[in-house]
Structure formats: structure tokens, C-alpha cells
Amino acid sequence: MKKVLIEEMSWSEFKEAMAGNDLIIMPVGSLEAHGRHNPLGVDLLVAAYCAKLIGEKVGAPVAPVMPFGWAASLAGYPGTVSLDPELYRKVLFSYAESYIKHGAKRFLWINGHGGNVPILGNVAGDLYEKYGTISSFTEWWTTLKQLKEDWPCDDHGGHFETSVMMAVNPDIVDMAKARVAPTSFLSEGLAAGGYRGVSVTLPIPSHKRQAGQKVANRGREPWGANAELGKAMIQTYVDYCVGLAAELRKMKV
Ligand SMILES: [Zn+2]
């Protein structure tokens, strides 16, 4: 089978892969706490896994996963790494820029971590401004919850994310260590994720904001996570991204 992972190609194989192709799949993750039962690398492992499947289906080279992200809200957990957001923006820009020098005009970023979203938005804008390149980025959880009502996968290390991790590698998930996520209230008035029913901007991740709510948060806890569900989720996400890549290729750049 033809190689898709850039890290496995020689320079001449990469050159061949770029003949008649200008799309690169760029997985980006994070190294951060995901509960006691999940590995620190959930976001990078899932992003790399999906990116490889997408690259194979669309015939586009897949860049090595960027393992780190902006994870300031979890930086207190042992083993978590959070890059300075300004530095991270520059690293991602330079990363893409290197491929632009070798023919890339389109990027599909497969993002595994919510904290990266605002930074990827800036990078995509900056790349377009400087080079006119197209950068689209997707996250499996935002994509899937819009495609399927049954998958409200906004959890962090919960039912859905643990399922996806189990589909990628069940050997590094230990459900016996799973615990209920700690409850953290901002204040009585702000516990519902806003003030007086109106959402307000707060530098607190959504899973923490909602942890204090007394309403059922489907999927927020890991119980019942399973690889079968994770496989179905990954399949749906990969298929969606394959279609998206085909559309990106039709765009004039
Ligand atoms: Zn995650």
C-alpha cells in the first residue's frame, strides 16, 4: 500500500506524493489529563488515528501529529503540557508554511482538542492572508454532535471520548480507574454556564462550567464507554472528512 504518513516517506516519496496533489492532512492534539482511566494523549492519539484513515481514503499525505496544544485549564494535572498560545500559533503557522514551500495549497486540520480552536482559527486566517491557502479544521465532537442527535459528545474523558479512545487503543484505557469528574462551581449564579440565563464569556472550559448543574449531562461521565460506539463514531467522522476533503479540492486557490 502507498505510504500516507509523511514521517514514513523519504523526501523523494513525499515529492511524488505531492505531484498532482496540494492537500495535506494536519492532525493536532494535546497532552492533557482525561480522567484517571484515560491516557494523557487521548487528543493526539485520536487525531492522528483519524487523520491516517482520512489520508488513506483521499490519497493525501498526513503530517506527523502536533502532540501539544493550548491546555491552560488543565495545566495543573501532572503530565499535562500547555504551550503558550502565542508560541503555539507561530509553531502551527511555521509547520504549515514548511509544506507550502513544497506545494501545499490546502490543509485539512484534524483537531483533537477544544483549546486549539481559537488558535487554529487565527492560523487559518493568517495562512490565507499571506499565501492564499485554504485551511479547514474540524473536531470529531463538534462534527458528530451536529450529524447525529444520539451523539452529544461534548464530554471530556466521558462516555463518548472514552469510547473513541477505546476504538483507537483499548489497551491503554482502564475503566476500573474511572471516577466521577470533580464538581466545580464558578458561583451560585454562574453555575449554569451563564448569568441569569444569558451566556457570558468566561475562561472556563464548558465541561467545568456545567459540572455543577443538576440537570442530566448525557455522556459526561465515562460509564458504559465501549469500543463499538467509538468505532462507529470514528467511521462517521472519517467519512464526513473524506467528503469535506473532496470539496476542499474543488475550491479555486
Ligand atoms: Zn480530549
Side-chain angles (χ1 to χ4, degrees), residues 34 43 112 156 161:
H34 274 82
D43 295 352
H156 182 80
E161 193 169 36

Side-chain angles (χ1 to χ4, degrees), residues 32-34 42-43 112-114 140-141 155-157 161:
E32 64 178 44
H34 274 82
V42 170
D43 295 352
H113 171 59
W140 59 265
W141 63 95
D155 59 279
H156 182 80
E161 193 169 36

Side-chain angles (χ1 to χ4, degrees), residues 1-238:
M1 199 166 124
K2 237 179 139 192
K3 292 176 189 171
V4 292
L5 298 180
I6 295 175
E7 70 220 59
E8 293 182 356
M9 297 176 187
S10 67
W11 69 264
S12 54
E13 285 169 339
F14 178 76
K15 194 179 169 197
E16 270 167 41
M18 292 303 283
N21 169 67
D22 59 12
L23 170 70
I24 305 266
I25 312 294
M26 305 280 281
V28 288
S30 179
L31 193 72
E32 64 178 44
H34 274 82
R36 291 164 191 263
H37 59 297
N38 276 310
L40 290 161
V42 170
D43 295 352
L44 74 98
L45 294 168
V46 172
Y49 184 85
C50 294
K52 182 169 183 250
L53 293 175
I54 295 160
E56 283 169 356
K57 286 199 175 183
V58 304
V62 179
V65 65
M66 164 57 67
F68 308 122
W70 182 46
S73 66
L74 292 159
Y77 283 94
T80 297
V81 171
S82 180
L83 295 190
D84 169 82
E86 182 55 21
L87 171 68
Y88 189 46
R89 186 184 66 77
K90 288 184 177 169
V91 169
L92 292 182
F93 185 85
S94 267
Y95 194 8
E97 207 174 29
S98 303
Y99 292 126
I100 290 171
K101 287 180 184 142
H102 299 289
K105 292 195 173 85
R106 295 157 227 264
F107 296 96
L108 178 55
W109 301 80
I110 301 302
N111 178 28
H113 171 59
N116 297 342
V117 172
I119 296 157
L120 277 168
N122 287 338
V123 170
D126 291 350
L127 287 168
Y128 181 75
E129 184 135 331
K130 187 163 179 190
Y131 296 105
T133 55
I134 299 299
S135 288
S136 187
F137 59 93
T138 70
E139 304 100 29
W140 59 265
W141 63 95
T142 3
T143 303
L144 291 177
K145 76 179 173 194
Q146 291 177 85
L147 290 178
K148 270 196 97 151
E149 238 178 50
D150 290 355
W151 294 344
C153 33
D154 249 343
D155 59 279
H156 182 80
H159 180 72
F160 292 101
E161 193 169 36
T162 302
S163 294
V164 167
M165 186 62 237
M166 284 171 146
V168 172
N169 186 351
D171 298 341
I172 50 176
V173 178
D174 185 354
M175 284 304 287
K177 291 186 178 156
R179 300 280 183 280
V180 174
T183 300
S184 95
F185 284 92
L186 298 169
S187 75
E188 274 306 314
L190 287 167
Y195 174 59
R196 292 174 57 194
V198 179
S199 64
V200 293
T201 300
L202 292 162
I204 310 285
S206 60
H207 67 278
K208 284 200 171 183
R209 246 187 279 154
Q210 292 175 12
Q213 283 181 271
K214 292 215 164 58
V215 297
N217 279 322
R218 231 168 17 126
R220 227 160 270 282
E221 304 301 345
W223 322 128
N226 63 90
E228 287 316 304
L229 170 63
K231 279 179 195 160
M233 291 167 71
I234 287 174
Q235 180 73 57
T236 306
Y237 176 61
V238 165

